[in-house]
Every structure is written in C-alpha cells, then in structure tokens.
Amino acid sequence: AKDPTSFDKQFSNSLVLRFVFAAITTLVMIGLAQLANDKIAASQVLTILSLSIVSGSLNQLISSAFLAFEKIKFLSFVSIIFSLIKIGLGYLLLSQHRGLVSIAVLLVICDYLTLSTNYILVRRFLPKFHFTIDITFCWKLVKLAFPLFGVGLVAMLDSRTEIIIISLFLGDTSVGY
C-alpha cells in the first residue's frame, strides 16, 4: 500500500470491504444485544457501542495507510484531541450522574468525528485516490483475509465475553453497568 500508484486500488477497495463486513458485524452485534432484553441497560449499551464498529474498522484502515506512508504525526494529533474530548465530556457526564448509555453515545459520536477528521486528513496528505471498485480484486482480498477474519472474530468475542456472561448471571451492577 506504500506505492502511490497502487494506493488508489488497494485503499478504495479495502474501504468498501471493511465497510461491508463492519456493517454486517454491527447488525449481528445489535441482534445479540437484543437477546439480553431482560438487562435493558446492558442491551442499550451494547447496541450503541455496536454502532462504532464501522467507524473503528475504517479508522484502523486509515491508520494503516498513514503508517505505510510514515505520516503518523497526523494520527497522533487527532488521537490526542479526541481522547481529551472523551475524557473531558466523560467526566462532565459522570459528574452530572448520567448513566453508561450517555457515555456510550459520547464514545460513538467521538469515534465518528475521529473518522471524519481522519478521512479529511487522508484526502489532504496521502496520495489522491478515487473510489474504483474492482470486484475481482475485492474477492482476492477476501480470500486472503478469510483466515484472519476467523481469528479476528474469535479475538473479538473473547475480548469481553466474561462481562456479558457474568452480567447474565449476576446482574448489571456486578459488572459495572
């Protein structure tokens, strides 16, 4: 992806693939969150946080592009600014006794604002690209990434499964909801 001549094809097709798979994952997670209907707060938080899967996936791709072109200072500035915003507004929400749902909304909004800012920086500081979708190339990428997709899915499910399982048995308060 460091080659400016192939960046156009790789980046635009990867954006499309990440968006599609992240959207599917988001829908699955929202469906799973609805299964916890007896735990309304947990279900709401999971549903809201699931909405940031798309922005998180696209932000990772953008970060990889900046790393490939060795222009990570832009990512650092964006990360610091939005981290400070999350901390400041998170503290404000907590001091006003807002619940986890409001914190989840804040995190999702900040993730999409980060994505928007990163996309503007991509357009300004990385090689120009046009959305050229090549189905054959996309299929090659999917075949190459399929084993990693399985590993990533297992890692994602393993990362916080204990919280979901414990909340089903002991209630939201026991796990911090």
Side-chain angles (χ1 to χ4, degrees), residues 18-36 41-58 100-101 103-109 111-112 115 156-157 159-160 164 177:
R18 278 187 171 258
F19 179 81
V20 168
F21 283 111
I24 291 168
T25 304
T26 299
L27 293 174
V28 168
M29 289 302 295
I30 289 172
L32 290 174
Q34 301 310 312
L35 294 177
S43 175
Q44 288 174 336
V45 170
L46 284 172
T47 300
I48 293 167
L49 289 178
S50 296
L51 298 175
S52 68
I53 292 173
V54 172
S55 62
S57 180
L58 296 179
L100 267 180
V101 173
I103 299 293
V105 169
L106 169 68
L107 293 176
V108 171
I109 290 171
D111 280 351
Y112 278 96
L115 175 62
M156 180 184 71
L157 291 174
S159 68
R160 290 295 164 185
I164 296 169
Y177 286 125

Side-chain angles (χ1 to χ4, degrees), residues 5-150:
T5 58
S6 67
F7 176 72
D8 185 38
K9 181 179 182 179
Q10 291 181 8
F11 190 71
S12 59
N13 284 289
S14 294
L15 272 175
V16 169
L17 285 175
R18 278 187 171 258
F19 179 81
V20 168
F21 283 111
I24 291 168
T25 304
T26 299
L27 293 174
V28 168
M29 289 302 295
I30 289 172
L32 290 174
Q34 301 310 312
L35 294 177
N37 58 5
D38 59 329
K39 311 287 187 215
I40 294 173
S43 175
Q44 288 174 336
V45 170
L46 284 172
T47 300
I48 293 167
L49 289 178
S50 296
L51 298 175
S52 68
I53 292 173
V54 172
S55 62
S57 180
L58 296 179
N59 272 322
Q60 287 175 348
L61 178 65
I62 290 171
S63 295
S64 298
F66 274 107
L67 287 171
F69 286 100
E70 299 174 0
K71 296 185 178 186
I72 59 173
K73 65 181 176 184
F74 301 112
L75 294 177
S76 299
F77 290 132
V78 172
S79 177
I80 289 170
I81 290 168
F82 282 104
S83 291
L84 290 173
I85 290 171
K86 287 179 201 177
I87 291 169
L89 292 178
Y91 178 77
L92 183 66
L93 289 171
L94 288 174
S95 67
Q96 293 179 354
H97 304 290
R98 303 286 186 197
L100 267 180
V101 173
S102 62
I103 299 293
V105 169
L106 169 68
L107 293 176
V108 171
I109 290 171
C110 284
D111 280 351
Y112 278 96
L113 289 174
T114 301
L115 175 62
S116 301
T117 305
N118 284 341
Y119 185 76
I120 291 168
L121 293 174
V122 164
R123 285 300 205 181
R124 180 149 185 186
F125 296 108
L126 294 184
K128 302 295 180 215
F129 73 95
H130 299 60
F131 281 105
T132 53
I133 300 170
D134 181 354
I135 300 299
T136 307
F137 184 71
C138 284
W139 184 244
K140 273 187 194 176
L141 288 176
V142 169
K143 287 193 313 191
L144 285 171
F146 191 73
L148 295 175
F149 175 74

